[in-house]
Amino acid sequence: MLKKINDLLAGLPMTIVAGVFLLIDLVPHLAEEFGGTPMQLSVLPFDPAWVTVLISGIPLLYLAIWRIIYNPGISKISSALLISIAMFAAIAIGDLFAAGEVAFIMAIGALLEEATTNRAKKGLNQLIRLAPTKGRRINNGTEEMIPAEEIRQGDTLRILPGETIPVDGTIIHGETSVDQSIMTGESLPVDKSVGDEVFCGTINRFGSIDMTATKVGENSSLQKLIRMVQEAENKQAPMQRIADKTASWLVPVALLIAILAYLFTKNIITAVTVLVVFCPCALVLATPTAIMAAIGQATKHGVIIKSGEALEKMGKVDTIAFDKTGTLTYGRLDVSDIVVFDKAMSEIALLSLTASAEAKSEHPLGKAIVACARAKEVPVMESASFKMTAGRGIFAEIQGRKLLCGSEAFLRENGVSAGASVRSVLEQLRAQGKASVLVADGQNCIGVIALSDVLRPEGKDMVARLADMHTRTVLLTGDHQRTADYFARQVGISEVRAELLPEEKVQAIEALQREHRNVCMIGDGVNDAPALKTADVSVAMGGMGSDIAVDAADVALMSDDISKIPYLKRLSNATVKTIQFSISLSMCINFVAIILSLMEVLTPTTGALVHNAGSCFVVLIAALLYDRKFE
């Protein structure tokens, strides 16, 4: 009940009310302080500042007491404690405006910080919802749908096309292609046959398969992925205010100076004035206002920053780890090469025949070939017959020509052998990380169409700019080693770790951190979520990336423009310098105000106004950051 009341009073609506009443109280105080006649507010039978003290002071007192009870060691002493002491001292001598002012500024600082540090938790919930709820178990030759939690190790399960695999297992019958991007980030479905392993949460795209369950329940790959995200989330420490870091020495010093001021001047008002001007309200505002300005600056450039921690840490980053698919590349397949072995046929004719044969295929490679033909306005003809062999290839009859399209193994199974020249071309394409579809007419291999993910054109320049900033770059991907090596060479990344599962990406980042590296991870897929959470700073591709990756990350690139990474580092450095300058300025103002207080030039009310001026300077300095130009 007490916490609910505290949360209500600390919220934005009640803080606005507190500010209005403080402003009402300011007018007569200004008249009195500067020699005029105090204006009487006959409408209100009480001092308006009492409303501000109660609304903003109660949450402040609650926070100070909570930290004294629950915080360990020296962290019991906080900025909230010092401001609470100043507030009560001002109340004791009857200066309610000064009491309300310090409490109100503290409330504003708390709201700003909360706005910059709140993180959505929906990504983890979406990840949990990906876990399959049912599975089809084969029991004595009959199928039965059972809840996923009832599946036991050794059970035989049947997975139909389009269904999600409910547990980890091994295929014992059938062939298919599995979309396992959720686990590895691979842009292509992986062909699977008897003896191959399949993972929980991945999707069976084509053929029906039977499998034996090997890892069930909490031991399955998807559940491990969920658990890693949860554990990494728990390791994230909340940002500690700079004011609280300095409070361990600030509170004793303030109290000592106030006590000495009273002993030497015999004036309690002087002591209270010292406490009021000593309050670290400008320090409380310095960090969140600069961060809010930087977040606004970044938002104009399509970069969404979720916390002040991310900004501060990004400036310290010296190693950036990239995912490949969807990050360095667009994550879509395009036809990259058309190689014709039949001298009587043109590339356009081969593309037309292949697209016509693949027109009824649901495989991503076939769809990409058809899309390429339509984009080039190449004729796509109707097939007389069509047959697909899951995980292998297709047979189609086009204008009397019997075509086979698929892998080298598929052609060999159908009596078509690839000669030395064909194998040489395939080897070159594999070295470039490209997928190949061989095309045979009857008993002859007439050509090959290669497909590849598309590299983002800004990638090479971005890596070069990071190198100029003395930042190490690493590629962490679930793709095959050859594919990873090829794309890494294209953008200038020399350190490559490929064929990684989500937990192996986490291990790779932890290994870099053990080298005392500050690591930023950039990714886009569900499989990147644990690595994003583990890294010191994480950036997700917000345009095409999964919601789970975006929510797991500290920063989202809404335009998917990775050239913004160097800009993000420069902005981070500027923000940290702005915070440091604001703190230095506020401390100087406080020092001058303390001297004036000891000289009895300032009263608690005028001291509160000078103290408020320091807070306004901090806000103005932060505002300059919003419009600063970065290259």
Side-chain angles (χ1 to χ4, degrees):
M1 183 65 180
L2 184 61
K3 188 177 185 305
K4 288 182 179 179
I5 294 173
N6 180 75
D7 291 343
L8 175 65
L9 293 175
L12 180 60
M14 294 303 291
T15 302
I16 292 173
V17 172
V20 170
F21 277 90
L22 188 65
L23 186 61
I24 292 172
D25 190 59
L26 175 62
V27 177
H29 276 84
L30 284 175
E32 186 174 8
E33 287 292 338
F34 294 102
T37 302
M39 297 174 59
Q40 299 298 319
L41 296 173
S42 57
V43 178
L44 297 175
F46 57 88
D47 193 321
W50 268 118
V51 178
T52 305
V53 169
L54 291 173
I55 290 176
S56 298
I58 289 174
L60 179 65
L61 182 61
Y62 176 89
L63 179 61
I65 294 173
W66 191 93
R67 287 176 174 171
I68 289 172
I69 295 172
Y70 295 105
N71 278 16
I74 198 69
S75 61
K76 291 179 182 291
I77 301 174
S78 65
S79 58
L81 178 60
L82 176 56
I83 297 175
S84 295
I85 293 171
M87 181 179 68
F88 278 111
I91 292 172
I93 64 169
D95 197 328
L96 292 175
F97 175 80
E101 188 267 348
V102 293
F104 176 70
I105 291 183
M106 186 72 175
I108 292 294
L111 285 174
L112 286 171
E113 186 176 29
E114 182 182 11
T116 61
T117 56
N118 277 342
R119 293 182 183 180
K121 303 292 183 183
K122 65 179 182 179
L124 182 58
N125 293 330
Q126 290 176 358
L127 183 57
I128 292 171
R129 283 198 293 271
L130 288 177
T133 57
K134 293 184 177 181
R136 182 179 286 100
R137 184 168 63 186
I138 308 299
N139 191 11
N140 296 325
T142 61
E143 296 182 10
E144 56 176 346
M145 292 296 295
I146 61 171
E149 58 267 21
E150 292 182 14
I151 298 174
R152 299 289 178 261
Q153 188 172 348
D155 283 352
T156 299
L157 306 174
R158 179 161 293 163
I159 316 297
L160 301 181
E163 290 185 344
T164 302
I165 297 171
V167 295
D168 290 10
T170 303
I171 297 175
I172 58 174
H173 178 73
E175 296 175 337
T176 187
S177 293
V178 177
D179 178 356
Q180 52 187 39
S181 58
I182 187 176
M183 296 302 299
T184 65
E186 290 174 283
S187 54
L188 293 172
V190 179
D191 295 335
K192 301 282 187 178
S193 59
V194 174
D196 288 336
E197 187 178 9
V198 290
F199 303 109
C200 174
T202 58
I203 301 171
N204 179 28
R205 285 300 184 193
F206 304 110
S208 174
I209 57 171
D210 290 347
M211 58 173 278
T212 298
T214 56
K215 295 179 182 178
V216 301
E218 293 299 314
N219 294 321
S220 71
S221 299
L222 184 59
Q223 290 299 328
K224 286 181 180 178
L225 181 64
I226 293 170
R227 199 155 55 246
M228 282 189 293
V229 175
Q230 290 172 324
E231 290 171 355
E233 174 71 30
N234 293 335
K235 291 177 184 175
Q236 295 291 321
M239 183 178 64
Q240 187 181 24
R241 289 195 200 98
I242 293 176
D244 285 335
K245 292 178 181 178
T246 59
S248 57
W249 61 266
L250 201 63
V251 173
V253 170
L255 291 174
L256 179 62
I257 294 176
I259 292 169
L260 291 174
Y262 174 70
L263 292 175
F264 280 98
T265 64
K266 304 300 181 183
N267 188 346
I268 188 65
I269 292 178
T270 299
V272 173
T273 305
V274 168
L275 285 175
V276 169
V277 299
F278 219 119
C279 284
C281 291
L283 266 69
V284 170
L285 290 174
T287 298
T289 51
I291 288 169
M292 289 291 283
I295 287 174
Q297 153 87 244
T299 301
K300 292 191 297 184
H301 292 84
V303 180
I304 307 301
I305 303 171
K306 298 183 185 179
S307 75
E309 275 184 299
L311 268 176
E312 184 179 357
K313 290 180 178 178
M314 190 67 196
K316 300 175 183 177
V317 163
D318 54 17
T319 302
I320 296 182
F322 292 91
D323 175 48
K324 182 189 77 69
T325 306
T327 303
L328 290 178
T329 68
Y330 285 109
R332 67 167 188 260
L333 288 171
D334 278 354
V335 172
S336 58
D337 302 85
I338 300 175
V339 182
V340 181
F341 301 128
D342 185 347
K343 294 181 180 180
M345 180 176 289
S346 66
E347 291 183 3
I348 294 298
L350 178 63
L351 178 60
S352 177
L353 278 177
T354 309
S356 301
E358 295 279 8
K360 295 178 181 178
S361 172
E362 291 297 316
H363 198 284
L365 293 180
K367 287 184 174 182
I369 292 171
V370 174
C372 176
R374 295 193 191 283
K376 294 177 180 289
E377 298 183 350
V378 172
V380 178
M381 299 164 279
E382 184 70 23
S383 58
S385 61
F386 176 86
K387 181 183 177 182
M388 179 175 179
T389 303
R392 287 288 189 269
I394 60 109
F395 164 82
E397 188 172 342
I398 307 295
Q399 294 185 334
R401 305 178 74 163
K402 295 181 179 180
L403 299 176
L404 294 170
C405 302
S407 64
E408 184 181 0
F410 178 67
L411 265 61
R412 189 166 52 249
E413 289 168 4
N414 286 273
V416 180
S417 60
S421 60
V422 175
R423 286 195 295 271
S424 175
V425 169
L426 288 177
E427 191 62 28
Q428 291 175 12
L429 295 173
R430 289 190 190 111
Q432 296 172 6
K434 298 175 180 178
S436 301
V437 175
L438 288 168
V439 184
D441 181 4
Q443 299 300 308
N444 299 314
C445 182
I446 59 174
V448 59
I449 294 182
L451 300 98
S452 175
D453 202 350
V454 181
L455 187 70
R456 294 182 186 274
E458 65 271 21
K460 186 173 183 178
D461 179 63
M462 181 269 299
V463 170
R465 286 160 64 196
L466 289 175
D468 291 339
M469 299 168 75
H470 308 290
T471 303
R472 174 182 176 186
T473 52
V474 182
L475 181 61
L476 304 179
T477 179
D479 266 351
H480 294 294
Q481 188 70 51
R482 281 186 174 182
T483 304
D485 288 339
Y486 173 74
F487 281 101
R489 286 195 301 271
Q490 295 296 104
V491 296
I493 296 176
S494 59
E495 191 171 344
V496 181
R497 302 178 192 182
E499 300 179 29
L500 301 178
L501 291 173
E503 60 265 30
E504 292 171 326
K505 284 188 179 182
V506 169
Q507 291 166 7
I509 288 175
E510 289 175 341
L512 290 169
Q513 290 170 330
R514 284 194 294 272
E515 297 175 15
H516 305 291
R517 293 278 181 172
N518 292 302
V519 183
C520 172
M521 174 69 190
I522 305 177
D524 76 307
V526 174
N527 63 298
D528 295 321
L532 290 169
K533 282 291 185 184
T534 303
D536 297 292
V537 186
S538 51
V539 180
M541 309 298 283
M544 65 168 289
S546 75
D547 290 341
I548 293 165
V550 171
D551 289 327
D554 301 308
V555 181
L557 303 178
M558 300 314 294
S559 60
D560 286 349
D561 185 359
I562 55 176
S563 68
K564 300 294 185 186
I565 300 300
Y567 157 79
L568 183 60
K569 275 185 64 65
R570 287 194 296 270
L571 176 64
S572 173
N573 291 333
T575 303
V576 172
K577 289 177 181 177
T578 298
I579 291 171
Q580 291 170 343
F581 178 75
S582 295
I583 289 171
S584 300
L585 178 64
S586 67
M587 294 298 286
C588 289
I589 292 174
N590 277 10
F591 178 76
V592 172
I594 290 168
I595 299 297
L596 294 175
S597 299
L598 293 173
M599 295 171 62
E600 300 186 1
V601 174
L602 297 178
T603 65
T605 298
T606 53
L609 293 173
V610 171
H611 169 264
N612 199 26
S615 300
C616 291
F617 278 127
V618 165
V619 173
L620 290 173
I621 292 167
L624 295 175
L625 181 64
Y626 180 81
D627 290 319
R628 188 178 302 180
K629 301 297 182 183
F630 292 92
E631 292 181 7

